[in-house]
């Protein structure tokens, strides 16, 4: 497995990538648009992108992922895709009748410079229907950037500040996380007895139930009314700076809703911060239920710490998730010695390095890195555990490392998108995943005489 | 439950008029009493929710990607390389695993500055690095959408790098917007392989008997290995496979074979034709999907070589395999008998699997392709009547001529004519010939039509791809992925037929379908007795 990857590290300066730890913007925009109720995402480019993005999301969620495409031909690529988009808008509303079409772009329409705003302005849009748009050039950032750009686009085009005084309500931008995570965040906010708007919200869309009927626009998704109302909130909590800070700032700029940027609430510290922020902003006591969950988590952490303590970990994936995961494994007494994201951004390296320095750990940290680099690091400094998305399985196999799947995409296991990794509940689940991986390995490797009943 | 033209019109009336005019030419209700035409390989209707992909996917993803000992560099932003990374199940193994790059993804990861200032220098540097780290024998470079627009000259970069590193470096201008589908990419890849790889090897003669190439077989889920198992048992010398588990080294000597087998006509017929012109190697349409088709293909091959030993050995192997397969298929047929299927797959399986379904007692009532051309639907006889439209006219047609040293007439013209009466030599009859009256043929089936046809025809199983799978299953209908085989396989050859039968039967009898309706939906909320007379 991956036999061509040498241990000896040759510095690469070309900017090329071998085995990426990111993908391109539009898939993030498509995912964000699926988090709107009654919305059909639309890819303004040649149709290959749209098919690839639908396929990839489908494989991660094992649920229908609907989206349309402008289906550029060579002619449109040279002379502009305005006609393709206008035709698409007409066809989509006539044939598929969504409430909203959310258009994103690809490297093709961005390179030729199609002006979405003017195309949409001059398109025939049926009464009461909405066409949103966001520019998502694939040659900038990553899928996380695309998620952020679409969320920002939604806010810029729909959010309104209509009240003199803000409502006692929080706008939550959950970031690029699973519907199971969005459900858990909503549960926590409800437990705090605080009104909220979550944007986007893919729960009930990409984890829809089997009923014997295909519903093109499932029950879930943030409604237009809710999005508009997000401008009336007292505060925005942006969970994960890479995915959510820009849209939160856009909401501040447009509607004057102050933004607070927090870590994605993975692990105990980040979840504590979320609860503290909610509690402080709305002067609410944290209910016993949540305190009990936290206590259970700490109980489990204490009960199991000897399984983890001092174990070396490599973590890769999307920056917001990886930052929080790194913080959490440090809380467990583990040593994150290789931490990498494919998404560019110095702040990732700064944040991780700060955490490692505080913990007295020397490690390799890289933004805009790739899995070839991660693999070489591991060859030079082996680890006891690898945490990341499905693509990590090749490294885990090549180096025989216990492997925990967290992040996007997970294409080779099911159920993951239904269950949270956020909140205290999610942290408990992560501990179970980590300890199962480590203890399964201990069992596998134990001699007969060392094989334990109780561990 | 059949669809007549009136019913079809009712469906199409829900389209805007322009779309209706377009789509109605892509849908044919089979009438065996007349010669029917279908429109295919035309541009996709914007916003229609097609299943199609792009030329890059057809070139890099389908044809080039499986070549295991070449490093395939994608020149573009990260997405294209990323999505084509390990998502098609073209299996490969090597004696030298260091030379097998099938689990890797190489991309120039173009950034904004590359779009503005051009990406040629970056591409050249990436090639340098890849050569320094991996020492590959050959490299391909595939273009993506923006590359053509900004004018990067891939060919020039490839040439310079080839001179610098003294290994083969091929470039493919398979920008995603070229043509109207994956099909353009097949053609572009075929041209490159014929021009730069096939025939570049030193072999003049094959060392074994009955040398053949297997064309248009991508070893999805191990299909190619199962086919090769049987062919080797019979005694064939497989020179190369294009391109599943294929290699640059083998491909170089593909010119020495005496016969080219064509499994996927759409993706590889260009190479088949060009090799016939250049080296005099005839091609035979085969189909190794389904027991009867496999047997027929093996017999046709034996007939081609006309050697009695080979014919005897062929029958011996067929008898041996049948002895195992028949009882297994019989057992699953009891579950499947009388059911109906939709079969909508890329450019060849929409046809090939119908025979296998029939062997299980399942009738295919709707079939079609995403991106096939009229010849795949109507047979190659229509080729002279196909007009290339504006969207595809820029796909280069490579013209080859007889190779003066290596051209050999493998068959006398008389013998060729005689064989053509009996076997599909340089011929493909197309999908329509196997479709019965009243069944439906749809080109570039979209989401709307999928839903409408399912509502009316209520198939028991829908063979399609991953984008459709969960849509169909939500309706309570089993969906079989015939691109990825739902991560199962092989489905080709004798053993493949057994595996397919098992998978399909299991999809019908899974207990999970019984739980869709909650028990409280079928029972009254309050229980009680109505007393008569009150």
């Amino acid at each position: 497995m991956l036999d061509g990857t040498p241990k000896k590290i040759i510095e690469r300066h070309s900017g090329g990538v071998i085995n990426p730890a990111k993908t391109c913007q539009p898939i993030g925009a498509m995912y964000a648009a699926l988090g709107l109720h009654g919305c059909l995402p639309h890819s303004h480019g040649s149709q290959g992108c749209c098919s690839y993005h639908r396929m990839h999301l489908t494989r991660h969620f094992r649920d229908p992922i609907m989206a349309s495409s402008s289906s550029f031909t060579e002619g449109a690529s040279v002379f502009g895709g305005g006609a393709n988009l206008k035709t698409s808008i007409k066809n989509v509303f006539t044939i598929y009748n969504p409430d909203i079409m959310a258009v994103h772009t690809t490297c093709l329409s961005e390179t030729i410079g199609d002006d979405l705003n003017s195309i949409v302005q001059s398109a025939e849009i049926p009464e009461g229907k909405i066409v949103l748009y966001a520019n998502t050039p694939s040659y900038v950032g990553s899928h996380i950037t695309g998620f952020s750009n679409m969320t920002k686009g939604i806010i810029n085009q729909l959010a309104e500040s209509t009240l003199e005084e803000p409502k006692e309500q929080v706008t939550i931008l959950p970031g690029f996380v699973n519907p199971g995570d969005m459900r858990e965040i909503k549960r926590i906010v409800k437990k705090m007895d605080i009104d909220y708007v979550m944007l986007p919200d893919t729960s009930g869309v990409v984890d829809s139930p089997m009923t014997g009927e295909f519903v093109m626009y499932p029950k879930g998704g943030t409604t237009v009314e809710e999005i508009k109302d997000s401008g009336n909130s007292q505060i925005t909590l942006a969970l994960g700076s890479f995915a959510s800070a820009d849209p939160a700032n856009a909401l501040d700029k447009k509607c004057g809703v102050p933004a607070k940027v927090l870590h994605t609430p993975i692990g105990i510290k980040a979840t504590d911060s979320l609860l503290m922020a909610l509690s402080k902003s709305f002067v609410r006591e944290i209910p016993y239920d949540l305190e009990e969950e936290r206590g259970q988590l700490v109980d489990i952490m204490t009960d199991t710490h000897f399984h983890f303590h001092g174990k070396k970990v490599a973590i890769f994936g999307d920056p917001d998730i990886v930052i929080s995961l790194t913080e959490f494994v440090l809380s467990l007494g583990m040593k994150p010695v290789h931490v990498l994201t494919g998404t560019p951004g110095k702040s990732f390296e700064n944040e991780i390095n700060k955490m490692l320095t505080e913990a007295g750990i020397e490690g390799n940290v890289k933004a805009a890195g790739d899995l070839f680099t991660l693999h070489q690091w591991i060859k030079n400094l082996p680890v006891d555990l690898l945490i990341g998305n499905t693509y990590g399985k090749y490294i885990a196999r090549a180096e025989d490392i216990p492997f925990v799947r967290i992040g996007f995409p997970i294409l080779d296991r099911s159920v993951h998108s239904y269950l949270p990794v956020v909140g205290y509940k999610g942290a408990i689940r992560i501990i179970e995943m980590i300890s199962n991986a480590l203890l399964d390995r201990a069992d596998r490797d134990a001699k007969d005489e060392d094989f334990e009943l109780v561990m | 439950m059949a669809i007549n033209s009136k019913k079809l019109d009712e469906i199409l009336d829900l389209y805007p008029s322009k779309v209706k005019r377009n789509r109605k030419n892509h849908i044919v209700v089979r009438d065996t009493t007349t010669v029917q035409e279908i429109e295919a390989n035309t541009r996709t209707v914007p916003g229609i929710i097609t299943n199609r992909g792009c030329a890059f996917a057809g070139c890099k993803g389908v044809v080039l990607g499986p070549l295991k000992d070449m490093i395939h560099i994608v020149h573009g932003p990260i997405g294209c390389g990323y999505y084509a990374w390990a998502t098609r199940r073209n299996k490969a193994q090597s004696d030298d695993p260091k030379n097998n790059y099938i689990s890797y993804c190489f991309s120039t990861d173009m950034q904004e500055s590359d779009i503005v200032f051009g990406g040629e220098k970056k591409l050249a540097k990436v090639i340098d690095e890849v050569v320094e780290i991996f020492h590959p024998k050959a490299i391909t470079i595939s273009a993506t959408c923006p590359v053509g627009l900004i004018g990067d000259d891939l060919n020039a970069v490839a040439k310079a790098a080839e001179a610098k590193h003294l290994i083969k470096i091929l470039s493919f201008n398979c920008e995603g917007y070229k043509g109207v589908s994956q099909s353009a990419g097949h053609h572009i890849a075929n041209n490159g392989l014929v021009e730069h790889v096939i025939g570049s090897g030193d072999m003049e003669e094959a060392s074994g008997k009955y040398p053949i190439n297997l064309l248009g077989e991508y070893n999805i889920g191990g299909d190619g290995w199962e086919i090769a198992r049987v062919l080797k048992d019979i005694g064939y010398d497989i020179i190369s496979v294009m391109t599943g588990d294929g290699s640059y080294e083998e491909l170089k000597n593909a010119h020495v074979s005496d016969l080219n087998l064509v499994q996927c006509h759409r993706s590889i017929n260009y190479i088949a034709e060009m090799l016939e012109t250049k080296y005099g190697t005839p091609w035979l349409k085969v189909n190794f999907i389904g027991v009867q088709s496999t047997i027929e293909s093996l017999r046709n091959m034996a007939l081609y070589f006309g050697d009695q030993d080979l014919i005897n050995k062929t029958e011996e192997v067929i008898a041996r395999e049948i002895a195992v397969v028949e009882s297994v298929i019989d057992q699953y047929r009891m579950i499947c008998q009388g059911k109906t299927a939709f079969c909508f797959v890329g450019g060849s399986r929409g046809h090939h699997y119908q025979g296998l379904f029939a062997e299980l007692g399942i009738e295919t009532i709707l079939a079609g392709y995403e991106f096939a051309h009229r010849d795949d639907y109507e047979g190659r006889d229509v080729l002279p009547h196909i007009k290339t439209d504006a969207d595809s006219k820029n796909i280069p047609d490579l013209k080859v001529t007889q190779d003066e040293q290596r051209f050999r007439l493998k068959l006398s013209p008389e013998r060729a004519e005689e064989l053509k009466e009996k076997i599909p030599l340089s011929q493909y009859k197309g999908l329509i010939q196997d479709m019965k009256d009243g069944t439906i043929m749809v080109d570039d089936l979209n989401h709307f039509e999928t839903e409408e046809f399912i509502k009316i025809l209520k198939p028991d199983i829908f063979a399609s791809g991953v984008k459709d799978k969960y849509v169909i299953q939500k309706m309570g209908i089993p969906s079989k992925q015939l691109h990825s085989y739902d991560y199962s396989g092989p489905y080709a050859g004798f053993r493949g037929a057994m595996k397919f039968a098992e998978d399909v039967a299991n999809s019908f009898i899974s207990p999970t379908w019984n739980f869709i309706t909650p028990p409280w939906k079928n029972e009254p909320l309050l229980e009680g007795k109505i007393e008569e007379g009150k």
Side-chain angles (χ1 to χ4, degrees), chain B residues 59 75 108 115 356 425 430:
Chain B
C59 179
H75 186 40
T108 55
I115 301 293
L356 183 49
L425 204 57

Side-chain angles (χ1 to χ4, degrees), chain B residues 221-223 226-227 229-230 287-295 321-322 324-333 336 352-353 355-360 362 480 485 488-505:
Chain B
D223 276 356
E226 168 59 9
I227 297 166
R229 177 184 70 86
V230 173
N287 178 18
F288 291 110
I289 303 296
V291 177
Q292 287 314 315
S293 301
T294 301
I295 292 172
E321 296 291 322
I322 285 286
V324 180
V325 174
E326 244 176 4
S327 61
V328 176
I329 300 263
D330 284 349
Q331 169 199 332
Y332 291 119
R333 191 190 297 113
C336 301
H352 290 147
Y353 274 78
L356 183 49
F357 271 130
E359 284 165 18
L360 292 172
I362 299 171
K480 179 83 222 134
Y485 302 168
S488 176
Y491 284 167
F494 295 106
R495 290 183 187 168
M498 291 192 288
K499 187 70 196 153
F500 181 78
E502 181 191 349
D503 288 352
V504 168

Side-chain angles (χ1 to χ4, degrees), chain A residues 2 4-5 12-14 17 19 22-23 46-47 51 53 56 63 69 77 88 91 96 139 208 210 212-213 391, chain B residues 19 44-48 52-53 57 82-83 97 104-105 107 109-112 129 145 149 177 180 448 473-474:
Chain A
L2 301 178
T5 304
R12 288 180 287 142
H13 302 290
S14 70
V17 158
N19 297 354
K22 65 168 178 183
T23 182
S46 60
Q47 68 213 6
S51 275
H53 299 142
H56 219 65
D63 232 30
S69 166
S77 306
S88 298
N91 288 343
Y96 295 113
Y139 44 77
S208 65
M210 170 69 110
E213 211 184 323
Y391 293 94
Chain B
V19 177
T44 313
V45 177
I48 198 91
R52 283 174 166 181
Y82 174 89
Y83 299 112
Y104 287 92
C105 166
S107 169
D109 187 23
M110 290 177 95
Q111 300 297 305
E112 195 149 28
E129 276 177 4
C145 287
L149 301 173
Y177 54 73
V180 298
F448 169 76
Q473 284 192 175
K474 283 274 196 271

Side-chain angles (χ1 to χ4, degrees), chain B residues 390-418:
Chain B
D391 294 319
S392 298
K393 70 173 192 302
N394 287 343
I395 312 301
D397 232 341
L398 181 65
K399 294 277 176 251
V400 295
T401 51
Q402 250 182 40
D403 185 298
E404 281 171 23
Q405 267 98 54
R406 284 170 166 173
F407 183 90
R408 284 185 294 122
L409 207 57
K410 271 93 180 177
L411 287 176
S412 68
E414 300 76 38
R415 171 92 179 125
E417 283 316 306
E418 191 191 321

Side-chain angles (χ1 to χ4, degrees), chain A residues 194-208:
Chain A
I194 297 166
D195 289 339
Y196 65 87
V197 171
M198 178 175 278
L199 173 71
D201 179 3
T202 58
S203 65
V205 181
V206 297
D207 60 357
S208 65

